[in-house]
Amino acid sequence: MPATQFQAPRGTQDILPDDAPYWAFVEDEMRRQARLANYGEIRTPTFEDTGVFQRGVGATTDIVEKEMYTFLDKGGESMTLRPEGTAGIVRAYLQRGMASHPQPVKLFTELTSFRYDKPQKGRFREFHQIDFEVIGEADPLADAELVALQWRLYAALGLRNLSLQVNSIGDQNCRPAYIQKLADYFRQHLDGLCEECQRRLETNPLRLLDEKKPQCQAVLEGAPRSADHLCAECRTHFEGWLGYVEGAGIPFSINPRLVRGLDYYTRSVWEVWPPVVGAQSTIGGGGRYDALAEQLGGRPTPGVGFATGMERIILELKDQDVAIPPVGDLCAFFVFRNEGGKRLAFRFAETLRASGISADISFGDRALRKQFGAADRAGAHYAVVVGEGDGEGDGDWVEIKDLRTGGDQQRVPIADLVKVLRGERGAAE
Ligand code: HAM
């Protein structure tokens, strides 16, 4: 008999309490880094008008062509579960008048994203991203600040031996000529390309560069490089960015085949890879998107940002054996001898909770020994034993046992319990 008739949808996960400390650890660090660099939190809807992604992410990307969860709502409007966060954030920036705030607007969020892809290690259909964006700023220092923030986030989490890959893919001035050159080159080498690449060549030649199939590699290696075909402004921007990143002491490799999978990028693109690189291992990536606001019908507004996958970070923390701090320590676990004691124990537990001290309590009417077992399993620091609850003065005293040291039980007047558990006063005798 299966435990239930239902299964979570393929490519989704249930994050259970055992794994939750990893999530809390990464989320706490995200917030800390956001505070340290003065980013404000934004939360946008889980679904948007489909056009936001078709126009923003780009109609010929894998994401839009194959991976979106798109549906008609009951009013007949086409909606899409967001496959990423940037397009929705820029939509919110435009719609909510953030263009008239002091610029740039520095934002961060944690979001669920949805992509219908073949699930495998590190690749989910519902996944979570941490996302940082700087909107309204063309200065390459913004690109560098984001790279530095992303790098510091990983370092603070304890991840080691990551590599930063960078490239510039130009802008609307220089990219068309470069893409033409690239397409001409590929047309001259069609025999060395797989069928998928030959098809892509007609829709999105740039994306061929990150094709991983071995049969295409020889042709791809010889392809013209975007960084060699930048206009003067893009070149200055690229050099400026890398100068700041270098100045911050962050090592990087220029990777001429790094183009990223979303069409909104202009100029800077980057990715962070783990020490062991697999097909689905990129921990995070980002870039500049100076034309995105216009593609969404807004005024020209430069922007730059990155996103990093929570699941990928957590996989890497586990692969690198990083020790995670436990989420909160349970201070007191109440055990009792009878129903009267149970009533008192509940009252005392509530008093502790109201005073900010964590407390748990045994349910049911198990034997004292079993209740102590539950206290141990809960990882409580102290077991608090409440008396019978019906005798004269039974509610005046409790006994506490330090489960960490395994010492003797000590009697404590109930009036002192909060202080004793806070370590402000020793137990009686
Ligand atoms: P992206 O490279 O598509 O960029 O995704 C960013 C990160 O999300 C990836 O590096 C990876 O860690 C994680 N990720 C992507 N797809 C999956 C998946 N199927 N399962 C698990 N994790 C995944 C973006 O989404 C851009 N919005 C980043 C950005 C922000 N660019 C500018 N601002």
PDB file of all heavy atoms in Angstrom, residues 45-64:
ATOM      1  N   PRO A  45       4.793  39.024  -8.325  1.00  0.00           N
ATOM      2  CA  PRO A  45       3.908  37.857  -8.433  1.00  0.00           C
ATOM      3  C   PRO A  45       4.604  36.625  -9.019  1.00  0.00           C
ATOM      4  O   PRO A  45       5.558  36.741  -9.778  1.00  0.00           O
ATOM      5  CB  PRO A  45       2.809  38.323  -9.392  1.00  0.00           C
ATOM      6  CG  PRO A  45       2.898  39.802  -9.419  1.00  0.00           C
ATOM      7  CD  PRO A  45       4.311  40.165  -9.121  1.00  0.00           C
ATOM      8  N   THR A  46       4.055  35.467  -8.663  1.00  0.00           N
ATOM      9  CA  THR A  46       4.573  34.190  -9.172  1.00  0.00           C
ATOM     10  C   THR A  46       4.230  34.018 -10.644  1.00  0.00           C
ATOM     11  O   THR A  46       4.927  33.328 -11.362  1.00  0.00           O
ATOM     12  CB  THR A  46       3.948  33.038  -8.357  1.00  0.00           C
ATOM     13  OG1 THR A  46       4.149  33.330  -6.983  1.00  0.00           O
ATOM     14  CG2 THR A  46       4.582  31.711  -8.678  1.00  0.00           C
ATOM     15  N   PHE A  47       3.131  34.633 -11.092  1.00  0.00           N
ATOM     16  CA  PHE A  47       2.821  34.566 -12.528  1.00  0.00           C
ATOM     17  C   PHE A  47       2.631  35.968 -13.074  1.00  0.00           C
ATOM     18  O   PHE A  47       2.284  36.894 -12.342  1.00  0.00           O
ATOM     19  CB  PHE A  47       1.610  33.671 -12.823  1.00  0.00           C
ATOM     20  CG  PHE A  47       0.324  34.088 -12.146  1.00  0.00           C
ATOM     21  CD1 PHE A  47      -0.575  34.914 -12.804  1.00  0.00           C
ATOM     22  CD2 PHE A  47       0.020  33.642 -10.878  1.00  0.00           C
ATOM     23  CE1 PHE A  47      -1.770  35.304 -12.194  1.00  0.00           C
ATOM     24  CE2 PHE A  47      -1.171  34.027 -10.254  1.00  0.00           C
ATOM     25  CZ  PHE A  47      -2.060  34.851 -10.909  1.00  0.00           C
ATOM     26  N   GLU A  48       2.923  36.076 -14.360  1.00  0.00           N
ATOM     27  CA  GLU A  48       2.841  37.368 -15.043  1.00  0.00           C
ATOM     28  C   GLU A  48       2.148  37.128 -16.387  1.00  0.00           C
ATOM     29  O   GLU A  48       2.096  35.995 -16.887  1.00  0.00           O
ATOM     30  CB  GLU A  48       4.250  37.918 -15.347  1.00  0.00           C
ATOM     31  CG  GLU A  48       5.126  38.213 -14.146  1.00  0.00           C
ATOM     32  CD  GLU A  48       5.024  39.654 -13.650  1.00  0.00           C
ATOM     33  OE1 GLU A  48       4.334  40.476 -14.280  1.00  0.00           O
ATOM     34  OE2 GLU A  48       5.647  39.942 -12.613  1.00  0.00           O
ATOM     35  N   ASP A  49       1.714  38.220 -16.984  1.00  0.00           N
ATOM     36  CA  ASP A  49       1.284  38.224 -18.374  1.00  0.00           C
ATOM     37  C   ASP A  49       2.381  37.531 -19.202  1.00  0.00           C
ATOM     38  O   ASP A  49       3.561  37.869 -19.077  1.00  0.00           O
ATOM     39  CB  ASP A  49       1.167  39.701 -18.764  1.00  0.00           C
ATOM     40  CG  ASP A  49       0.500  39.914 -20.088  1.00  0.00           C
ATOM     41  OD1 ASP A  49       0.798  39.151 -21.020  1.00  0.00           O
ATOM     42  OD2 ASP A  49      -0.313  40.856 -20.182  1.00  0.00           O
ATOM     43  N   THR A  50       1.999  36.573 -20.042  1.00  0.00           N
ATOM     44  CA  THR A  50       2.989  35.808 -20.814  1.00  0.00           C
ATOM     45  C   THR A  50       3.933  36.711 -21.607  1.00  0.00           C
ATOM     46  O   THR A  50       5.120  36.409 -21.766  1.00  0.00           O
ATOM     47  CB  THR A  50       2.257  34.816 -21.755  1.00  0.00           C
ATOM     48  OG1 THR A  50       1.475  33.952 -20.927  1.00  0.00           O
ATOM     49  CG2 THR A  50       3.214  33.998 -22.595  1.00  0.00           C
ATOM     50  N   GLY A  51       3.412  37.855 -22.064  1.00  0.00           N
ATOM     51  CA  GLY A  51       4.216  38.777 -22.862  1.00  0.00           C
ATOM     52  C   GLY A  51       5.454  39.275 -22.131  1.00  0.00           C
ATOM     53  O   GLY A  51       6.477  39.584 -22.754  1.00  0.00           O
ATOM     54  N   VAL A  52       5.386  39.356 -20.805  1.00  0.00           N
ATOM     55  CA  VAL A  52       6.540  39.842 -20.036  1.00  0.00           C
ATOM     56  C   VAL A  52       7.764  38.968 -20.335  1.00  0.00           C
ATOM     57  O   VAL A  52       8.880  39.465 -20.512  1.00  0.00           O
ATOM     58  CB  VAL A  52       6.234  39.827 -18.514  1.00  0.00           C
ATOM     59  CG1 VAL A  52       7.477  40.066 -17.680  1.00  0.00           C
ATOM     60  CG2 VAL A  52       5.152  40.855 -18.191  1.00  0.00           C
ATOM     61  N   PHE A  53       7.541  37.656 -20.435  1.00  0.00           N
ATOM     62  CA  PHE A  53       8.675  36.755 -20.664  1.00  0.00           C
ATOM     63  C   PHE A  53       8.966  36.599 -22.158  1.00  0.00           C
ATOM     64  O   PHE A  53      10.125  36.493 -22.545  1.00  0.00           O
ATOM     65  CB  PHE A  53       8.420  35.403 -20.004  1.00  0.00           C
ATOM     66  CG  PHE A  53       8.099  35.558 -18.544  1.00  0.00           C
ATOM     67  CD1 PHE A  53       6.842  35.267 -18.048  1.00  0.00           C
ATOM     68  CD2 PHE A  53       9.056  36.073 -17.670  1.00  0.00           C
ATOM     69  CE1 PHE A  53       6.538  35.452 -16.716  1.00  0.00           C
ATOM     70  CE2 PHE A  53       8.758  36.267 -16.331  1.00  0.00           C
ATOM     71  CZ  PHE A  53       7.497  35.951 -15.845  1.00  0.00           C
ATOM     72  N   GLN A  54       7.882  36.580 -22.982  1.00  0.00           N
ATOM     73  CA  GLN A  54       8.134  36.466 -24.427  1.00  0.00           C
ATOM     74  C   GLN A  54       8.984  37.629 -24.898  1.00  0.00           C
ATOM     75  O   GLN A  54       9.955  37.461 -25.611  1.00  0.00           O
ATOM     76  CB  GLN A  54       6.808  36.462 -25.192  1.00  0.00           C
ATOM     77  CG  GLN A  54       6.267  35.055 -25.343  1.00  0.00           C
ATOM     78  CD  GLN A  54       4.861  35.047 -25.898  1.00  0.00           C
ATOM     79  OE1 GLN A  54       4.178  36.085 -25.940  1.00  0.00           O
ATOM     80  NE2 GLN A  54       4.409  33.884 -26.304  1.00  0.00           N
ATOM     81  N   ARG A  55       8.623  38.843 -24.451  1.00  0.00           N
ATOM     82  CA  ARG A  55       9.365  40.018 -24.892  1.00  0.00           C
ATOM     83  C   ARG A  55      10.652  40.182 -24.110  1.00  0.00           C
ATOM     84  O   ARG A  55      11.665  40.589 -24.638  1.00  0.00           O
ATOM     85  CB  ARG A  55       8.516  41.265 -24.679  1.00  0.00           C
ATOM     86  CG  ARG A  55       7.347  41.267 -25.612  1.00  0.00           C
ATOM     87  CD  ARG A  55       7.251  42.611 -26.274  1.00  0.00           C
ATOM     88  NE  ARG A  55       5.892  43.086 -26.140  1.00  0.00           N
ATOM     89  CZ  ARG A  55       5.572  44.356 -25.969  1.00  0.00           C
ATOM     90  NH1 ARG A  55       6.512  45.270 -25.872  1.00  0.00           N
ATOM     91  NH2 ARG A  55       4.337  44.703 -25.883  1.00  0.00           N
ATOM     92  N   GLY A  56      10.596  39.881 -22.815  1.00  0.00           N
ATOM     93  CA  GLY A  56      11.752  40.126 -21.953  1.00  0.00           C
ATOM     94  C   GLY A  56      12.822  39.073 -22.147  1.00  0.00           C
ATOM     95  O   GLY A  56      13.947  39.373 -22.540  1.00  0.00           O
ATOM     96  N   VAL A  57      12.480  37.815 -21.889  1.00  0.00           N
ATOM     97  CA  VAL A  57      13.483  36.746 -21.946  1.00  0.00           C
ATOM     98  C   VAL A  57      13.839  36.439 -23.397  1.00  0.00           C
ATOM     99  O   VAL A  57      14.983  36.108 -23.714  1.00  0.00           O
ATOM    100  CB  VAL A  57      12.964  35.482 -21.220  1.00  0.00           C
ATOM    101  CG1 VAL A  57      13.914  34.318 -21.380  1.00  0.00           C
ATOM    102  CG2 VAL A  57      12.750  35.791 -19.735  1.00  0.00           C
ATOM    103  N   GLY A  58      12.853  36.579 -24.312  1.00  0.00           N
ATOM    104  CA  GLY A  58      13.142  36.410 -25.739  1.00  0.00           C
ATOM    105  C   GLY A  58      12.456  35.184 -26.315  1.00  0.00           C
ATOM    106  O   GLY A  58      12.615  34.082 -25.809  1.00  0.00           O
ATOM    107  N   ALA A  59      11.713  35.408 -27.424  1.00  0.00           N
ATOM    108  CA  ALA A  59      10.866  34.355 -27.991  1.00  0.00           C
ATOM    109  C   ALA A  59      11.655  33.154 -28.497  1.00  0.00           C
ATOM    110  O   ALA A  59      11.130  32.059 -28.577  1.00  0.00           O
ATOM    111  CB  ALA A  59      10.013  34.945 -29.108  1.00  0.00           C
ATOM    112  N   THR A  60      12.934  33.341 -28.840  1.00  0.00           N
ATOM    113  CA  THR A  60      13.681  32.208 -29.419  1.00  0.00           C
ATOM    114  C   THR A  60      14.589  31.527 -28.401  1.00  0.00           C
ATOM    115  O   THR A  60      15.436  30.717 -28.766  1.00  0.00           O
ATOM    116  CB  THR A  60      14.537  32.656 -30.626  1.00  0.00           C
ATOM    117  OG1 THR A  60      15.497  33.602 -30.152  1.00  0.00           O
ATOM    118  CG2 THR A  60      13.681  33.264 -31.712  1.00  0.00           C
ATOM    119  N   THR A  61      14.442  31.850 -27.133  1.00  0.00           N
ATOM    120  CA  THR A  61      15.255  31.151 -26.121  1.00  0.00           C
ATOM    121  C   THR A  61      14.617  29.802 -25.792  1.00  0.00           C
ATOM    122  O   THR A  61      13.414  29.615 -25.986  1.00  0.00           O
ATOM    123  CB  THR A  61      15.326  31.977 -24.820  1.00  0.00           C
ATOM    124  OG1 THR A  61      13.984  32.216 -24.394  1.00  0.00           O
ATOM    125  CG2 THR A  61      16.034  33.304 -25.033  1.00  0.00           C
ATOM    126  N   ASP A  62      15.438  28.875 -25.280  1.00  0.00           N
ATOM    127  CA  ASP A  62      14.907  27.582 -24.834  1.00  0.00           C
ATOM    128  C   ASP A  62      13.815  27.796 -23.805  1.00  0.00           C
ATOM    129  O   ASP A  62      12.791  27.119 -23.798  1.00  0.00           O
ATOM    130  CB  ASP A  62      16.016  26.755 -24.152  1.00  0.00           C
ATOM    131  CG  ASP A  62      16.772  25.945 -25.188  1.00  0.00           C
ATOM    132  OD1 ASP A  62      16.367  25.955 -26.359  1.00  0.00           O
ATOM    133  OD2 ASP A  62      17.779  25.314 -24.801  1.00  0.00           O
ATOM    134  N   ILE A  63      14.057  28.750 -22.905  1.00  0.00           N
ATOM    135  CA  ILE A  63      13.102  28.982 -21.819  1.00  0.00           C
ATOM    136  C   ILE A  63      11.720  29.268 -22.385  1.00  0.00           C
ATOM    137  O   ILE A  63      10.727  28.655 -22.002  1.00  0.00           O
ATOM    138  CB  ILE A  63      13.577  30.140 -20.906  1.00  0.00           C
ATOM    139  CG1 ILE A  63      14.859  29.740 -20.176  1.00  0.00           C
ATOM    140  CG2 ILE A  63      12.497  30.567 -19.935  1.00  0.00           C
ATOM    141  CD1 ILE A  63      15.432  30.823 -19.278  1.00  0.00           C
ATOM    142  N   VAL A  64      11.636  30.210 -23.335  1.00  0.00           N
ATOM    143  CA  VAL A  64      10.324  30.603 -23.861  1.00  0.00           C
ATOM    144  C   VAL A  64       9.801  29.569 -24.854  1.00  0.00           C
ATOM    145  O   VAL A  64       8.610  29.239 -24.856  1.00  0.00           O
ATOM    146  CB  VAL A  64      10.392  32.021 -24.476  1.00  0.00           C
ATOM    147  CG1 VAL A  64       9.093  32.370 -25.195  1.00  0.00           C
ATOM    148  CG2 VAL A  64      10.694  33.042 -23.379  1.00  0.00           C
TER     149      VAL A  64
END
